[in-house]
């Protein structure tokens, strides 16, 4: 692993790190809605200022927040080009066959690409500042109302928690198996699609078996510690939101409101 | 076919907060037919080092040379490297995936352009070498075997490639004492057959009994490199690194501290025993 | 010389007696030490002080198991995994008895049935044949299975496969939540458990960032939080490096000495068994022998039969004997060996 995986939690002690994860999740949803509502140049400028502020406060490096660009570059280019070429516009700059290049199309392409970029930046910041467990916990408490329609949120929460904690272990194991099979001649490095496809089995089967074996052992350990499903368990009380959390939530709501109406 | 590391450094996750130097300017050369042990604390760079030798990682700087050729040079053929250098990871049994033992062992051979008779004879040889009966086991599912057998099959899969250099990462972890010993005997036989063996282990007794040379890594740097008895003779340094020396060596050290005139280059059990009998005869023991 | 030995024995008997009297007054009410065990029970061969120490160990254990306080009391346990066409018994008529507060090591080669046996102690396998009481609870009684699991905790082999959460304190709280512990008590219980394994201050760490030894200690803390009487270590040190192993063993010994937990240790490291009060040896699903470390670990024939190697000092003792050098006692640890060698004359 030469590069850091995208969406990695980076421990820190910024203001954003210390916020309640529920607030971060709600604020994130609000921000996404405003991104979707934005489509003017001043709107994007103000989003840019907002992003800069967020990066500054969260102490997340721009490089980390933009880490996804490399892997999404092609995708973004395709979106831009497709929009540019196919956007139906009354005043094309030039036309050829079914392609009409127009200013409107370019604007539309830029619009979509910018939205994706902002979306990715915001989610990078969210993931970089929120520990997976906290995110899982926040998700659980936001899902809590679902228990009234008989969805076992307590079991769901344990599932999420277990899954999240297994991620680093399984990633390490995957890496190890990939290397072991490479050393035996499996061609993951190969550019040929056929060879690449053939090399999937030696990777997938051991990973699945490993995951089953681990799950099996963990279930034994959980049982030994008295787990018998979501019933009869201590109910985690909702932690009340602190002043700064409420303040942050109000700020986010206000910013989104202004952003949505002003631009 | 010597292995050389020339000023090799490896940095994990460069440019991020997780950036860490896993290996820092290590220069070492391992000759043909050597039996080398690598010791060091968890996270000292042992795993990184053996993966660099096997060409599974690319150094951040420096060169890994096999027979004088840079294995990370564009012109170096990967297939050749895979054939020459075999690597057995920790808990190799977890990499098995085929429906039969025979197919699993033959997996690496697919890329070697051998005919089916050759493949079969290689598989049979590899299985017999690790102490399994080819005829009995080849049609079994590798997933239904016992833990110890699975590990043997996985190792046979690497041996079948007949690598000239065999690298093993903690191959005896989790084995019981008898299985541990018979596995080391197997490595010893391969070594006597001319294979270069590089073994990573925490077990100083095993390293003392079988290897000729020990490399000690600490925080990514090569801090000790020498004959087993020389490395183990520096008990203070090893203790400072929080590493064990072989137990016969430790006993000799303790006796020495008590004023017994026992040689301080004892590494193996037999050496300790001879020295003790000798001491008694010559009246050296109180 | 003989007088000294007599003194040692008397002291041992007195110790065993008073210990019993303090721990279990009701059982010792009517027993005078002379009536229970006296110096006549000394084996004939008591000329060698090694036998004396074996004897003392035995007196100690007898005094303990004579009482009803048994953490594990199993009789005639047999078990076979239901594979197609397989009738191999994984456990074959195993009887085992472990006193409260005892530290017992169960040794045996891979596949000898040790893990299968201890899984019964936590009701992770249900009893097929025989009887078993764990902390006074019948392992067959499915109604009280959760109570039993609270009394008997278990630390497993793979440090990575025991965590339910990627935050240490949440993981430790998991067991407590399962037993509906009032939420306001949880933080204090978590920090107590962490203190017991010497890892205070690790509450907010992620287990994956810790070393193997630390992971196992967190797993142990998770078990300790439920305040069990018995803790089973199912090869918990097998996947650790020497340093991690030392950490875990030191912690286990501290729990035994200071917290008086009943400890059951499965291992194939002989060096770990040296510190146990008693050792069971298993082979092919049966119990081959049981006794004090001194009795078991110095018995070369027995260990060879069980496919185990004696501790290094014991091997040296016998090999020196072959070469005509007789040490007075058979040493179990390296330090003891050096001591013996230095006192050879």
């Amino acid at each position: 692993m030469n590069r850091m995986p995208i969406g990695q939690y980076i421990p820190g002690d910024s203001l954003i790190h210390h916020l309640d994860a529920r607030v971060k999740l709600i604020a994130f949803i609000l921000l996404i809605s405003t991104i979707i509502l934005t489509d003017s140049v001043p709107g994007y400028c103000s989003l840019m200022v907002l992003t800069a502020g967020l990066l500054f406060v969260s102490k997340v490096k721009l490089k980390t927040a933009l880490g996804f660009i490399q892997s999404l570059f092609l995708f973004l280019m395709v979106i831009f080009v497709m929009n540019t070429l196919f956007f139906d516009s009354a005043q094309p700059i030039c036309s050829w066959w079914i392609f009409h290049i127009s200013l409107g199309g370019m604007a539309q392409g830029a619009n979509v690409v910018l939205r994706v970029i902002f979306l990715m930046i915001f989610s990078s910041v969210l993931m970089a500042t929120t520990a997976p467990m906290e995110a899982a916990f926040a998700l659980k408490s936001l899902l809590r109302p679902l228990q009234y329609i008989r969805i076992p949120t307590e079991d769901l929460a344990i599932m999420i928690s277990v899954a999240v904690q297994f991620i680093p272990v399984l990633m390490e194991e995957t890496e190890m198996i990939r290397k072991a099979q490479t050393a035996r001649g499996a061609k993951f490095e190969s550019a040929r699609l056929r060879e690449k496809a053939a090399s999937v089995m030696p990777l997938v089967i051991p990973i699945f078996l490993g995951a089953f074996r681990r799950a099996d052992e963990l279930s034994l350990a959980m049982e030994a510690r008295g787990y018998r499903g979501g019933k009869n368990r201590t109910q985690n009380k909702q932690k009340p939101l602190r002043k700064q959390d409420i303040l942050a939530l109000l700020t986010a709501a206000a910013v989104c409101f202004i952003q949505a109406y002003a631009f | 076919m010597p292995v050389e590391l020339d000023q090799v450094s490896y940095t994990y996750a460069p440019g991020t907060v997780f950036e860490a130097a896993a290996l820092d300017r290590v220069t070492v050369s391992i000759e043909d037919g050597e039996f080398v042990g690598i010791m060091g604390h968890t996270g000292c760079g042992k795993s990184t080092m053996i993966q660099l030798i096997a060409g599974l990682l690319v150094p951040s700087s420096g060169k890994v040379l096999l027979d004088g050729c840079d294995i990370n040079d564009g012109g170096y053929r990967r297939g050749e490297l895979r054939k020459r250098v075999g690597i057995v990871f920790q808990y190799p049994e977890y990499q098995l995936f085929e429906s039969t033992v025979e197919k699993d062992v033959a997996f690496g051979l697919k890329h070697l352009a051998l005919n089916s008779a050759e493949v079969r004879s290689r598989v049979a040889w590899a299985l017999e070498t690790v102490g399994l009966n080819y005829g009995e086991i080849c049609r079994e599912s590798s997933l239904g075997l016992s833990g110890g057998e699975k590990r043997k099959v996985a190792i046979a899969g690497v041996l079948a490639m007949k690598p000239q250099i065999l690298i093993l990462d903690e191959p005896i972890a989790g084995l019981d004492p008898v299985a541990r010993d018979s596995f080391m005997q197997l490595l010893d036989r391969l070594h006597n057959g001319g294979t270069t063996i590089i073994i990573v282990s925490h077990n100083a007794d095993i390293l003392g009994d079988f290897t000729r040379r020990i490399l000690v890594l600490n925080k990514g740097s090569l801090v000790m490199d020498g004959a087993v008895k020389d490395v183990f003779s520096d008990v203070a340094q090893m203790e400072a690194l929080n590493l064990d020396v072989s137990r016969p060596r430790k006993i000799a050290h303790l006796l020495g501290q008590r004023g017994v005139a026992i040689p301080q280059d004892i590494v193996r059990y037999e050496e300790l025993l001879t020295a003790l009998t000798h001491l008694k005869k010559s009246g050296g023991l109180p | 010389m003989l007088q000294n030995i007599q003194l040692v024995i008397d002291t041992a008997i007195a110790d065993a007696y008073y210990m019993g009297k303090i721990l279990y007054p009701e059982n010792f009410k009517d027993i005078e030490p002379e009536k229970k065990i006296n110096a006549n029970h000394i084996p004939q061969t008591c000329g060698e002080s090694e036998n004396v120490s074996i004897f003392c160990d035995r007196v100690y254990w007898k005094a303990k198991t004579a009482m009803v306080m048994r953490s594990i009391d199993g009789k005639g346990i047999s078990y076979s995994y239901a594979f197609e066409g397989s009738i191999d018994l994984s456990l074959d008529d195993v009887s085992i008895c472990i006193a409260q507060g005892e530290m017992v090591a169960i040794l045996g080669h891979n596949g000898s049935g040790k893990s299968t046996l201890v899984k019964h102690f936590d009701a992770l396998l249900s009893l097929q044949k025989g009887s078993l009481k764990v902390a006074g609870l019948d392992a067959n009684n499915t109604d009280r299975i959760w109570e039993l699991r609270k009394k008997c905790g278990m630390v497993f082999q793979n440090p990575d496969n025991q965590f339910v959460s990627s935050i240490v304190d949440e993981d430790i709280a998991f067991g407590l939540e399962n037993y509906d512990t009032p939420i306001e008590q949880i933080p204090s219980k978590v920090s107590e458990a962490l203190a017991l394994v010497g890892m205070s201050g690790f509450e907010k760490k992620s287990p994956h960032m810790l070393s193997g030894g630390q992971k196992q200690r967190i797993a142990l803390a998770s078990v300790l939080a439920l305040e069990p009487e018995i803790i089973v270590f199912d090869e918990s040190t097998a996947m650790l490096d020497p340093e991690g192993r030392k950490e875990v063993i030191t912690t286990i010994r501290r729990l035994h000495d200071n917290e008086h937990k009943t400890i059951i240790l499965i291992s194939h490291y002989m060096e770990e068994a040296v510190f146990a009060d008693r050792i069971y040896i298993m082979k092919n699903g049966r119990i081959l022998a049981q006794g004090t470390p001194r009795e078991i670990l110095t018995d070369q024939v027995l260990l060879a039969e069980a496919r185990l190697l004696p501790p290094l000092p014991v091997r040296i003792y016998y090999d020196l004997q072959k070469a005509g050098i007789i040490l007075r006692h058979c040493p179990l640890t390296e330090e003891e060996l050096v001591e013996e060698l230095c006192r050879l004359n």
Side-chain angles (χ1 to χ4, degrees), chain A residues 133 161 165 169 214 217 223 225-227 233-234, chain C residues 149 161 163-164 166 170-171 177-178 181 208:
Chain A
M133 266 336 264
S161 168
Q165 79 83 31
V169 182
R214 287 178 189 281
E217 281 180 42
E223 228 183 298
R225 280 162 71 187
Y227 184 65
R233 296 191 85 237
T234 307
Chain C
R149 284 184 184 158
N161 300 351
F163 296 107
V164 291
S166 35
E170 280 185 16
D171 190 80
E177 287 167 8
N178 287 337
T181 312
H208 301 292

PDB file of all heavy atoms in Angstrom, chain A residues 133 161 165 169 214 217 223 225-227 233-234, chain C residues 149 161 163-164 166 170-171 177-178 181 208:
ATOM      1  N   MET A 133     -16.297   4.243  14.101  1.00  0.00           N
ATOM      2  CA  MET A 133     -17.208   3.842  15.161  1.00  0.00           C
ATOM      3  C   MET A 133     -18.204   4.940  15.478  1.00  0.00           C
ATOM      4  O   MET A 133     -19.369   4.686  15.710  1.00  0.00           O
ATOM      5  CB  MET A 133     -16.425   3.553  16.438  1.00  0.00           C
ATOM      6  CG  MET A 133     -16.020   2.136  16.684  1.00  0.00           C
ATOM      7  SD  MET A 133     -16.981   0.908  15.883  1.00  0.00           S
ATOM      8  CE  MET A 133     -18.102   0.476  17.169  1.00  0.00           C
ATOM      9  N   SER A 161     -21.091  -2.172  13.745  1.00  0.00           N
ATOM     10  CA  SER A 161     -19.896  -2.047  14.570  1.00  0.00           C
ATOM     11  C   SER A 161     -18.876  -3.135  14.245  1.00  0.00           C
ATOM     12  O   SER A 161     -17.690  -2.867  14.026  1.00  0.00           O
ATOM     13  CB  SER A 161     -20.319  -2.117  16.035  1.00  0.00           C
ATOM     14  OG  SER A 161     -19.213  -2.280  16.851  1.00  0.00           O
ATOM     15  N   GLN A 165     -15.173  -2.705  12.451  1.00  0.00           N
ATOM     16  CA  GLN A 165     -13.911  -3.049  13.104  1.00  0.00           C
ATOM     17  C   GLN A 165     -13.137  -4.100  12.316  1.00  0.00           C
ATOM     18  O   GLN A 165     -11.934  -4.216  12.467  1.00  0.00           O
ATOM     19  CB  GLN A 165     -14.121  -3.423  14.570  1.00  0.00           C
ATOM     20  CG  GLN A 165     -14.636  -4.798  14.854  1.00  0.00           C
ATOM     21  CD  GLN A 165     -13.540  -5.833  14.863  1.00  0.00           C
ATOM     22  OE1 GLN A 165     -12.412  -5.555  15.204  1.00  0.00           O
ATOM     23  NE2 GLN A 165     -13.898  -7.038  14.451  1.00  0.00           N
ATOM     24  N   VAL A 169      -8.587  -5.256   9.419  1.00  0.00           N
ATOM     25  CA  VAL A 169      -8.062  -6.626   9.464  1.00  0.00           C
ATOM     26  C   VAL A 169      -8.187  -7.280   8.098  1.00  0.00           C
ATOM     27  O   VAL A 169      -7.241  -7.881   7.580  1.00  0.00           O
ATOM     28  CB  VAL A 169      -8.840  -7.470  10.506  1.00  0.00           C
ATOM     29  CG1 VAL A 169      -8.263  -8.863  10.596  1.00  0.00           C
ATOM     30  CG2 VAL A 169      -8.807  -6.807  11.855  1.00  0.00           C
ATOM     31  N   ARG A 214     -12.951 -15.921  10.403  1.00  0.00           N
ATOM     32  CA  ARG A 214     -12.918 -14.869  11.413  1.00  0.00           C
ATOM     33  C   ARG A 214     -14.292 -14.660  12.028  1.00  0.00           C
ATOM     34  O   ARG A 214     -14.429 -14.516  13.239  1.00  0.00           O
ATOM     35  CB  ARG A 214     -12.430 -13.560  10.788  1.00  0.00           C
ATOM     36  CG  ARG A 214     -10.959 -13.581  10.495  1.00  0.00           C
ATOM     37  CD  ARG A 214     -10.523 -12.292   9.842  1.00  0.00           C
ATOM     38  NE  ARG A 214      -9.157 -12.385   9.368  1.00  0.00           N
ATOM     39  CZ  ARG A 214      -8.094 -12.278  10.140  1.00  0.00           C
ATOM     40  NH1 ARG A 214      -8.245 -12.057  11.432  1.00  0.00           N
ATOM     41  NH2 ARG A 214      -6.895 -12.401   9.650  1.00  0.00           N
ATOM     42  N   GLU A 217     -15.000 -17.423  14.479  1.00  0.00           N
ATOM     43  CA  GLU A 217     -14.297 -17.254  15.742  1.00  0.00           C
ATOM     44  C   GLU A 217     -14.890 -16.111  16.553  1.00  0.00           C
ATOM     45  O   GLU A 217     -15.046 -16.201  17.761  1.00  0.00           O
ATOM     46  CB  GLU A 217     -12.801 -16.994  15.487  1.00  0.00           C
ATOM     47  CG  GLU A 217     -12.024 -18.251  15.170  1.00  0.00           C
ATOM     48  CD  GLU A 217     -10.553 -17.963  14.918  1.00  0.00           C
ATOM     49  OE1 GLU A 217      -9.951 -17.159  15.647  1.00  0.00           O
ATOM     50  OE2 GLU A 217     -10.017 -18.538  13.964  1.00  0.00           O
ATOM     51  N   GLU A 223     -20.425 -14.994  21.860  1.00  0.00           N
ATOM     52  CA  GLU A 223     -21.287 -15.851  22.660  1.00  0.00           C
ATOM     53  C   GLU A 223     -20.691 -16.049  24.049  1.00  0.00           C
ATOM     54  O   GLU A 223     -21.391 -15.996  25.049  1.00  0.00           O
ATOM     55  CB  GLU A 223     -21.425 -17.204  21.963  1.00  0.00           C
ATOM     56  CG  GLU A 223     -22.850 -17.685  21.854  1.00  0.00           C
ATOM     57  CD  GLU A 223     -22.905 -19.055  21.221  1.00  0.00           C
ATOM     58  OE1 GLU A 223     -22.483 -19.200  20.061  1.00  0.00           O
ATOM     59  OE2 GLU A 223     -23.338 -19.984  21.903  1.00  0.00           O
ATOM     60  N   ARG A 225     -19.019 -14.092  25.630  1.00  0.00           N
ATOM     61  CA  ARG A 225     -19.180 -12.881  26.421  1.00  0.00           C
ATOM     62  C   ARG A 225     -20.645 -12.546  26.658  1.00  0.00           C
ATOM     63  O   ARG A 225     -20.990 -11.441  27.043  1.00  0.00           O
ATOM     64  CB  ARG A 225     -18.457 -11.719  25.748  1.00  0.00           C
ATOM     65  CG  ARG A 225     -16.949 -11.755  26.037  1.00  0.00           C
ATOM     66  CD  ARG A 225     -16.188 -10.922  25.062  1.00  0.00           C
ATOM     67  NE  ARG A 225     -16.419  -9.513  25.286  1.00  0.00           N
ATOM     68  CZ  ARG A 225     -15.973  -8.565  24.478  1.00  0.00           C
ATOM     69  NH1 ARG A 225     -15.268  -8.886  23.408  1.00  0.00           N
ATOM     70  NH2 ARG A 225     -16.227  -7.303  24.725  1.00  0.00           N
ATOM     71  N   GLY A 226     -21.481 -13.521  26.397  1.00  0.00           N
ATOM     72  CA  GLY A 226     -22.875 -13.385  26.802  1.00  0.00           C
ATOM     73  C   GLY A 226     -23.805 -12.737  25.791  1.00  0.00           C
ATOM     74  O   GLY A 226     -24.900 -12.326  26.140  1.00  0.00           O
ATOM     75  N   TYR A 227     -23.407 -12.678  24.523  1.00  0.00           N
ATOM     76  CA  TYR A 227     -24.287 -12.043  23.539  1.00  0.00           C
ATOM     77  C   TYR A 227     -25.401 -12.990  23.123  1.00  0.00           C
ATOM     78  O   TYR A 227     -25.162 -14.149  22.820  1.00  0.00           O
ATOM     79  CB  TYR A 227     -23.483 -11.637  22.301  1.00  0.00           C
ATOM     80  CG  TYR A 227     -24.315 -10.893  21.279  1.00  0.00           C
ATOM     81  CD1 TYR A 227     -24.853  -9.653  21.579  1.00  0.00           C
ATOM     82  CD2 TYR A 227     -24.571 -11.442  20.035  1.00  0.00           C
ATOM     83  CE1 TYR A 227     -25.622  -8.976  20.655  1.00  0.00           C
ATOM     84  CE2 TYR A 227     -25.341 -10.765  19.093  1.00  0.00           C
ATOM     85  CZ  TYR A 227     -25.859  -9.531  19.413  1.00  0.00           C
ATOM     86  OH  TYR A 227     -26.620  -8.854  18.500  1.00  0.00           O
ATOM     87  N   ARG A 233     -30.260  -6.188  26.454  1.00  0.00           N
ATOM     88  CA  ARG A 233     -28.982  -5.494  26.527  1.00  0.00           C
ATOM     89  C   ARG A 233     -29.184  -4.115  27.138  1.00  0.00           C
ATOM     90  O   ARG A 233     -30.268  -3.553  27.091  1.00  0.00           O
ATOM     91  CB  ARG A 233     -28.356  -5.332  25.132  1.00  0.00           C
ATOM     92  CG  ARG A 233     -28.001  -6.646  24.481  1.00  0.00           C
ATOM     93  CD  ARG A 233     -27.146  -6.425  23.256  1.00  0.00           C
ATOM     94  NE  ARG A 233     -25.740  -6.315  23.598  1.00  0.00           N
ATOM     95  CZ  ARG A 233     -24.979  -5.277  23.289  1.00  0.00           C
ATOM     96  NH1 ARG A 233     -25.475  -4.253  22.645  1.00  0.00           N
ATOM     97  NH2 ARG A 233     -23.718  -5.265  23.630  1.00  0.00           N
ATOM     98  N   THR A 234     -28.100  -3.594  27.708  1.00  0.00           N
ATOM     99  CA  THR A 234     -28.134  -2.225  28.204  1.00  0.00           C
ATOM    100  C   THR A 234     -28.448  -1.306  27.026  1.00  0.00           C
ATOM    101  O   THR A 234     -27.845  -1.430  25.976  1.00  0.00           O
ATOM    102  CB  THR A 234     -26.757  -1.841  28.766  1.00  0.00           C
ATOM    103  OG1 THR A 234     -26.369  -2.826  29.706  1.00  0.00           O
ATOM    104  CG2 THR A 234     -26.789  -0.475  29.411  1.00  0.00           C
TER     105      THR A 234
ATOM    106  N   ARG C 149     -21.778 -18.521  31.620  1.00  0.00           N
ATOM    107  CA  ARG C 149     -20.817 -17.809  30.785  1.00  0.00           C
ATOM    108  C   ARG C 149     -20.294 -16.539  31.457  1.00  0.00           C
ATOM    109  O   ARG C 149     -19.237 -16.052  31.105  1.00  0.00           O
ATOM    110  CB  ARG C 149     -21.443 -17.480  29.432  1.00  0.00           C
ATOM    111  CG  ARG C 149     -21.509 -18.697  28.553  1.00  0.00           C
ATOM    112  CD  ARG C 149     -22.027 -18.403  27.186  1.00  0.00           C
ATOM    113  NE  ARG C 149     -22.145 -19.672  26.455  1.00  0.00           N
ATOM    114  CZ  ARG C 149     -22.930 -19.853  25.419  1.00  0.00           C
ATOM    115  NH1 ARG C 149     -23.673 -18.874  24.969  1.00  0.00           N
ATOM    116  NH2 ARG C 149     -22.973 -21.018  24.813  1.00  0.00           N
ATOM    117  N   ASN C 161      -9.569 -11.590  16.157  1.00  0.00           N
ATOM    118  CA  ASN C 161     -10.945 -12.042  15.940  1.00  0.00           C
ATOM    119  C   ASN C 161     -11.794 -12.025  17.193  1.00  0.00           C
ATOM    120  O   ASN C 161     -12.697 -12.821  17.342  1.00  0.00           O
ATOM    121  CB  ASN C 161     -10.943 -13.451  15.336  1.00  0.00           C
ATOM    122  CG  ASN C 161     -10.221 -13.492  14.019  1.00  0.00           C
ATOM    123  OD1 ASN C 161      -9.859 -12.452  13.472  1.00  0.00           O
ATOM    124  ND2 ASN C 161      -9.995 -14.679  13.503  1.00  0.00           N
ATOM    125  N   PHE C 163     -12.712  -8.808  18.706  1.00  0.00           N
ATOM    126  CA  PHE C 163     -13.231  -7.470  18.975  1.00  0.00           C
ATOM    127  C   PHE C 163     -14.532  -7.212  18.240  1.00  0.00           C
ATOM    128  O   PHE C 163     -14.695  -7.591  17.090  1.00  0.00           O
ATOM    129  CB  PHE C 163     -12.192  -6.423  18.571  1.00  0.00           C
ATOM    130  CG  PHE C 163     -10.938  -6.517  19.391  1.00  0.00           C
ATOM    131  CD1 PHE C 163      -9.780  -7.024  18.829  1.00  0.00           C
ATOM    132  CD2 PHE C 163     -10.936  -6.134  20.708  1.00  0.00           C
ATOM    133  CE1 PHE C 163      -8.629  -7.136  19.589  1.00  0.00           C
ATOM    134  CE2 PHE C 163      -9.797  -6.243  21.473  1.00  0.00           C
ATOM    135  CZ  PHE C 163      -8.635  -6.746  20.913  1.00  0.00           C
ATOM    136  N   VAL C 164     -15.464  -6.560  18.939  1.00  0.00           N
ATOM    137  CA  VAL C 164     -16.713  -6.187  18.288  1.00  0.00           C
ATOM    138  C   VAL C 164     -16.721  -4.705  17.961  1.00  0.00           C
ATOM    139  O   VAL C 164     -17.601  -4.229  17.264  1.00  0.00           O
ATOM    140  CB  VAL C 164     -17.942  -6.499  19.160  1.00  0.00           C
ATOM    141  CG1 VAL C 164     -18.137  -7.995  19.287  1.00  0.00           C
ATOM    142  CG2 VAL C 164     -17.819  -5.869  20.508  1.00  0.00           C
ATOM    143  N   SER C 166     -14.217  -1.000  17.213  1.00  0.00           N
ATOM    144  CA  SER C 166     -12.872  -0.493  16.963  1.00  0.00           C
ATOM    145  C   SER C 166     -12.471   0.570  17.982  1.00  0.00           C
ATOM    146  O   SER C 166     -11.545   1.322  17.763  1.00  0.00           O
ATOM    147  CB  SER C 166     -12.731   0.018  15.530  1.00  0.00           C
ATOM    148  OG  SER C 166     -13.900   0.605  15.088  1.00  0.00           O
ATOM    149  N   GLU C 170     -15.553   0.655  24.124  1.00  0.00           N
ATOM    150  CA  GLU C 170     -16.827   0.110  23.641  1.00  0.00           C
ATOM    151  C   GLU C 170     -16.771  -1.406  23.592  1.00  0.00           C
ATOM    152  O   GLU C 170     -17.750  -2.093  23.861  1.00  0.00           O
ATOM    153  CB  GLU C 170     -17.134   0.641  22.242  1.00  0.00           C
ATOM    154  CG  GLU C 170     -17.708   2.029  22.257  1.00  0.00           C
ATOM    155  CD  GLU C 170     -18.116   2.470  20.864  1.00  0.00           C
ATOM    156  OE1 GLU C 170     -18.243   1.620  19.960  1.00  0.00           O
ATOM    157  OE2 GLU C 170     -18.283   3.684  20.680  1.00  0.00           O
ATOM    158  N   ASP C 171     -15.573  -1.916  23.245  1.00  0.00           N
ATOM    159  CA  ASP C 171     -15.438  -3.365  23.174  1.00  0.00           C
ATOM    160  C   ASP C 171     -15.586  -3.989  24.559  1.00  0.00           C
ATOM    161  O   ASP C 171     -16.258  -4.999  24.722  1.00  0.00           O
ATOM    162  CB  ASP C 171     -14.095  -3.751  22.569  1.00  0.00           C
ATOM    163  CG  ASP C 171     -14.038  -5.226  22.277  1.00  0.00           C
ATOM    164  OD1 ASP C 171     -14.596  -5.622  21.248  1.00  0.00           O
ATOM    165  OD2 ASP C 171     -13.490  -5.970  23.102  1.00  0.00           O
ATOM    166  N   GLU C 177     -22.900  -4.820  28.549  1.00  0.00           N
ATOM    167  CA  GLU C 177     -24.207  -4.497  27.978  1.00  0.00           C
ATOM    168  C   GLU C 177     -25.035  -5.760  27.776  1.00  0.00           C
ATOM    169  O   GLU C 177     -26.257  -5.745  27.925  1.00  0.00           O
ATOM    170  CB  GLU C 177     -24.034  -3.765  26.640  1.00  0.00           C
ATOM    171  CG  GLU C 177     -23.559  -2.333  26.821  1.00  0.00           C
ATOM    172  CD  GLU C 177     -23.083  -1.696  25.521  1.00  0.00           C
ATOM    173  OE1 GLU C 177     -23.257  -2.311  24.451  1.00  0.00           O
ATOM    174  OE2 GLU C 177     -22.522  -0.588  25.586  1.00  0.00           O
ATOM    175  N   ASN C 178     -24.341  -6.852  27.432  1.00  0.00           N
ATOM    176  CA  ASN C 178     -25.054  -8.113  27.242  1.00  0.00           C
ATOM    177  C   ASN C 178     -25.741  -8.573  28.514  1.00  0.00           C
ATOM    178  O   ASN C 178     -26.732  -9.293  28.471  1.00  0.00           O
ATOM    179  CB  ASN C 178     -24.096  -9.209  26.786  1.00  0.00           C
ATOM    180  CG  ASN C 178     -23.683  -9.013  25.344  1.00  0.00           C
ATOM    181  OD1 ASN C 178     -24.383  -8.371  24.579  1.00  0.00           O
ATOM    182  ND2 ASN C 178     -22.532  -9.553  24.992  1.00  0.00           N
ATOM    183  N   THR C 181     -26.054  -4.376  32.277  1.00  0.00           N
ATOM    184  CA  THR C 181     -25.455  -3.594  33.353  1.00  0.00           C
ATOM    185  C   THR C 181     -25.953  -2.150  33.255  1.00  0.00           C
ATOM    186  O   THR C 181     -25.981  -1.604  32.149  1.00  0.00           O
ATOM    187  CB  THR C 181     -23.921  -3.588  33.193  1.00  0.00           C
ATOM    188  OG1 THR C 181     -23.502  -4.918  32.976  1.00  0.00           O
ATOM    189  CG2 THR C 181     -23.234  -3.016  34.408  1.00  0.00           C
ATOM    190  N   HIS C 208      -6.746  -2.105  16.701  1.00  0.00           N
ATOM    191  CA  HIS C 208      -5.880  -2.436  15.563  1.00  0.00           C
ATOM    192  C   HIS C 208      -4.548  -1.707  15.596  1.00  0.00           C
ATOM    193  O   HIS C 208      -3.612  -2.084  14.910  1.00  0.00           O
ATOM    194  CB  HIS C 208      -6.607  -2.155  14.261  1.00  0.00           C
ATOM    195  CG  HIS C 208      -7.855  -2.949  14.162  1.00  0.00           C
ATOM    196  ND1 HIS C 208      -7.842  -4.310  14.032  1.00  0.00           N
ATOM    197  CD2 HIS C 208      -9.150  -2.592  14.275  1.00  0.00           C
ATOM    198  CE1 HIS C 208      -9.073  -4.748  14.034  1.00  0.00           C
ATOM    199  NE2 HIS C 208      -9.889  -3.730  14.184  1.00  0.00           N
TER     200      HIS C 208
END
